[in-house]
Every structure is written in C-alpha cells, then in structure tokens.
C-alpha cells in the first residue's frame, strides 16, 4: 500500500522516489547534452552534404562535355538557423557557416561567372538561389565551368 | 503503531536500521551513478568528435592550418570508435577528487601519425567537453576542458590509440 488511511507513507516509496530523482537529475543533463550534440552533428552533416552535392554537380557538368548543363537549388539555411555562403574556385567548393569551413574537391580548374566572355573568377553561391552549371569549350579546346544564377 | 499512539522498540530499531542502510546505499548509488553518467557523456562526446573528424568541417583557424599543413584532413575521413576504457579510480589530493584517465581506441584508414594525433586530439577534446557540459563544470576548467570535472571525479584523457 502506498499510503494508508492514517496518512503514513511507506519507506519503500520514499527510497524509490529518492533514487529515481537522483538518477533523473543526471539523466536530464545527459539527455540535454545529447540533443545539443545531435543538433551540432546535423549542422556538420548538412554543411558537408551541401559541399559534396555542389561538387558532384560541377563534376557531372564537367564530365558531361561541352554544352552539358546541371541545375542546382541552394537551401535557404543550414540546420534552420545558420546562414552560410559558398565559394567555388579552382581549389574546390568551400562552404562557410558560423565560424566553420569545409571544402569538397572538384575536377575542373577553370571557372567563369559569365557565359560569353569567359574569365577566371571565384564564384559565390548565395542561399536560396537557383544556379545553372554549364560546361563550355573555348577556342583553345579547353572546357570551362560557367555558373550562372537562374 | 498501536491505537494509543505508542511505537514499539522493534519498530524504532527497524526504522533506524533502514535509515542507516538508506544513507549508505544512497551515497554508493550517487557515486556509481555519477561515474556511469560521466562514461555515457564520454561516449557521447567521442561520437561527436568522430563525426567532426569524419565531416571535415572545422573552425576557420583550424581549417586554414590544415589546408597548409595537413590537406588530407580537409577531406572526410572514415574514423570510428572501437572502445573506451578508463584507469582504476585513484584519489588525487590536488583536485580533492578521484582521478580517472580515459583512453579511447579508434580506427581510421590511410592516416599518418601526425594526422592521427590531430584527429585523436579532437576526439579527446569533445569527450572532455561533453563531461563538463553534463556536470556543468565548464567554469572549473580551462578552454580545452582539460581536466574535466564532475562532482566527485576528475577526468583526463590519454592519447587516442589507433588500432
């Protein structure tokens, strides 16, 4: 019996409650820590995933040959609260969010932000925009990657 | 307890004995529970560290350093935790707590010793950070969370062993 008609409470219940509270005290902070860890992990995974997806699209356009086009849509945010920006140059696709950076390497080395007048440049991709990645061969038979806002 | 409000001597002795047992058990449970939670926090931190290593998304200073010195680390690497062990608890008078050294065993492919050292340091950092966060002791330690404190224990980390 938990509580009898005289208002007494069993020592078993007191002991059980005490131990339960003790364990819950630590468990609550541990659970909170786990949730924070999961959120931080999601940020890293989303950033890596974004960099690899863009790099994959660029490689796909490059390997597709002259005239190959690939469209990409940039997510508005990383993990619902981080704005970010992406830079594409001959080294790779660099994703920057908060104070963190990650890079995904790519095959092509020549990038241009204009289609008619090919000119080496570092290209910034902004959140929420749609871009088209085009493979264009110049008069020297070299393939360029042109990235235009759609 | 009878209807006249008297308590038997046997009951008082039983209650006293129960109280003593409860106190001893409570202290023991508290200490064991703390160690269990610290180890759970360590495991959680180790997983987070491995993920940070695997995703290769670093704070900007670290990223620039790795780009110059260890470009291999700027690409994702397959690191996984094999096991976490700890040394026998020993009282440390400096910290007035029981000291435990954690040792993490990890596996990763195609990494040289310098690269392993850097990835291992990150895993250890996240392990200590996680312990400090769970016990809310960030203010007792330094920015590298070394050592990490709980209420009755102080945790250090040995270099990660790569297997």
């Amino acid at each position: 019996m938990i509580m009898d008609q005289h208002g007494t409470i069993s020592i078993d219940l007191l002991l059980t409650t005490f131990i339960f509270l003790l364990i819950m005290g630590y468990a609550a902070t541990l659970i909170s820590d786990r949730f924070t860890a999961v959120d931080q992990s999601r940020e890293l995974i989303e950033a890596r995933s974004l960099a690899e997806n863009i790099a994959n699209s660029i490689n796909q356009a490059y390997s597709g040959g002259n005239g190959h086009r690939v469209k990409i849509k940039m997510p508005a945010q990383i993990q619902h609260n981080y704005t970010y920006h992406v830079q594409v140059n001959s080294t790779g696709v660099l994703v920057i969010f908060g104070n963190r950076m990650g890079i995904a390497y790519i095959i092509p080395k020549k990038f241009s932000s204009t289609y008619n007048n090919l000119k080496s440049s570092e290209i910034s991709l902004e959140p929420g925009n749609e871009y088209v990645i085009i493979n264009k061969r110049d008069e020297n038979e070299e393939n360029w990657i042109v990235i235009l806002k759609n | 307890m009878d209807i006249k409000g008297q308590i038997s001597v046997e009951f008082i002795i039983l209650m006293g004995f129960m109280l003593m047992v409860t106190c001893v058990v409570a202290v023991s449970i508290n200490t064991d529970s703390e160690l269990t939670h610290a180890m759970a926090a360590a495991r959680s931190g180790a997983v987070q560290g491995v993920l940070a290593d695997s995703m290769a998304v670093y704070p900007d200073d670290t990223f620039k350093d790795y780009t110059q010195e260890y470009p291999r680390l700027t690409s994702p690497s397959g690191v996984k935790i094999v096991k976490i062990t700890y040394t026998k608890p020993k009282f440390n008078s400096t910290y007035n707590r029981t000291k435990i050294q954690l040792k993490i065993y990890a596996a990763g492919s195609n990494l040289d010793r310098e690269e392993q050292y850097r990835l291992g340091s990150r895993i250890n950092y996240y392990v200590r950070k996680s312990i400090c966060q769970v016990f809310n002791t960030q203010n007792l330690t330094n920015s590298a969370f070394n050592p990490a404190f709980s209420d009755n224990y102080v945790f250090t980390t040995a270099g990660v062993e790569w297997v």
Side-chain angles (χ1 to χ4, degrees):
Chain A
M1 193 195 323
I2 292 174
M3 201 178 287
D4 68 15
Q5 57 198 359
H6 297 289
T8 56
I9 199 161
S10 78
I11 196 83
D12 306 13
L13 181 69
L14 281 174
L15 188 63
T16 312
T17 310
F18 175 74
I19 293 169
F20 179 75
L21 287 176
L22 199 72
I23 292 169
M24 280 306 292
Y26 285 127
T29 49
L30 191 63
I31 290 165
S32 163
D33 181 59
R34 289 271 170 107
F35 275 115
T36 311
V38 168
D39 278 347
Q40 288 172 350
S41 302
R42 275 191 61 184
E43 289 163 12
L44 299 182
I45 291 167
E46 284 188 21
R48 170 55 53 190
S49 173
L50 178 66
E52 294 296 338
N53 281 341
I54 297 168
N56 186 43
S57 299
I58 290 171
N59 288 337
Q60 201 183 332
Y62 186 72
S63 57
N66 188 25
H68 199 96
R69 289 167 177 251
V70 177
K71 274 186 184 174
I72 54 167
K73 174 91 172 84
M74 306 292 286
Q77 287 166 323
I78 287 180
Q79 175 64 1
H80 307 302
N81 54 6
Y82 271 106
T83 55
Y84 67 93
H85 74 274
V86 175
Q87 290 170 359
V88 181
N89 58 30
S90 57
T91 311
V93 177
L94 187 69
V95 173
I96 304 162
F97 72 103
N99 68 337
R100 290 177 174 273
M101 290 178 169
I103 194 166
Y105 294 99
I106 45 181
I107 303 165
K109 296 291 172 198
K110 286 176 173 278
F111 291 89
S112 174
S113 57
T114 52
Y115 188 81
N116 293 322
N117 180 24
L118 295 174
K119 191 175 157 191
S120 283
S121 54
E122 183 172 272
I123 301 164
S124 288
L125 306 181
E126 300 303 324
N129 292 339
E130 196 174 279
Y131 293 90
V132 57
I133 302 165
I134 308 165
N135 183 330
K136 187 184 180 188
R137 189 170 294 157
D138 66 7
E139 60 275 9
N140 300 321
E141 298 293 306
E142 283 185 304
N143 286 69
W144 287 65
I145 289 295
V146 181
I147 301 179
L148 303 171
K149 193 173 169 186
N150 201 17
Chain B
M1 203 180 293
D2 68 15
I3 54 172
K4 293 177 184 169
Q6 294 167 324
I7 294 177
S8 69
V9 173
E10 293 96 317
F11 183 73
I12 292 171
I13 292 170
L14 191 67
M15 286 295 287
F17 181 71
M18 285 291 287
L19 198 66
M20 275 169 53
V21 169
T22 306
C23 290
V24 171
V25 169
V27 170
S28 171
I29 287 174
N30 188 27
T31 313
D32 286 348
S33 171
E34 186 181 326
L35 187 55
T36 305
H37 281 88
M39 292 308 291
R43 274 192 294 275
S44 171
V47 170
Q48 211 183 341
V50 162
L51 197 80
D53 285 343
S54 300
M55 292 296 109
V57 177
Y58 305 114
D60 47 9
D61 290 346
T62 310
F63 181 83
K64 283 166 191 163
D65 180 41
Y66 285 179
T67 306
Q68 299 290 321
E69 304 290 331
Y70 308 100
R72 166 72 188 80
L73 297 182
T74 57
S75 294
S77 45
V79 179
K80 62 180 180 183
I81 297 294
V82 177
K83 63 177 176 178
I84 301 175
T85 60
Y86 61 91
T87 55
K88 196 177 173 186
K90 202 173 174 183
F91 187 78
N92 185 299
S93 55
T94 311
Y95 298 113
N96 199 26
R97 284 172 166 88
T98 305
K99 189 177 177 186
I100 291 176
Q101 189 179 53
L102 301 168
K103 189 170 180 69
I104 290 141
Y105 294 79
S109 56
N110 303 325
L111 298 166
D112 65 30
R113 285 177 68 87
E114 284 292 318
E115 291 166 348
Q116 285 177 340
Y117 172 75
R118 270 148 187 87
L119 295 187
S121 298
R122 183 167 297 98
I123 294 171
N124 279 339
Y125 169 82
Y126 276 100
V127 165
R128 296 191 302 266
K129 184 182 177 188
S130 181
I131 293 171
C132 286
Q133 282 176 340
V134 165
F135 293 96
N136 202 22
T137 55
Q138 297 95 321
N139 58 338
L140 297 181
T141 185
N142 52 30
S143 60
F145 302 101
N146 194 14
F149 293 98
S150 68
D151 299 333
N152 296 300
Y153 295 98
V154 54
F155 296 91
T156 56
T157 46
V160 169
E161 188 157 324
W162 295 84
V163 293

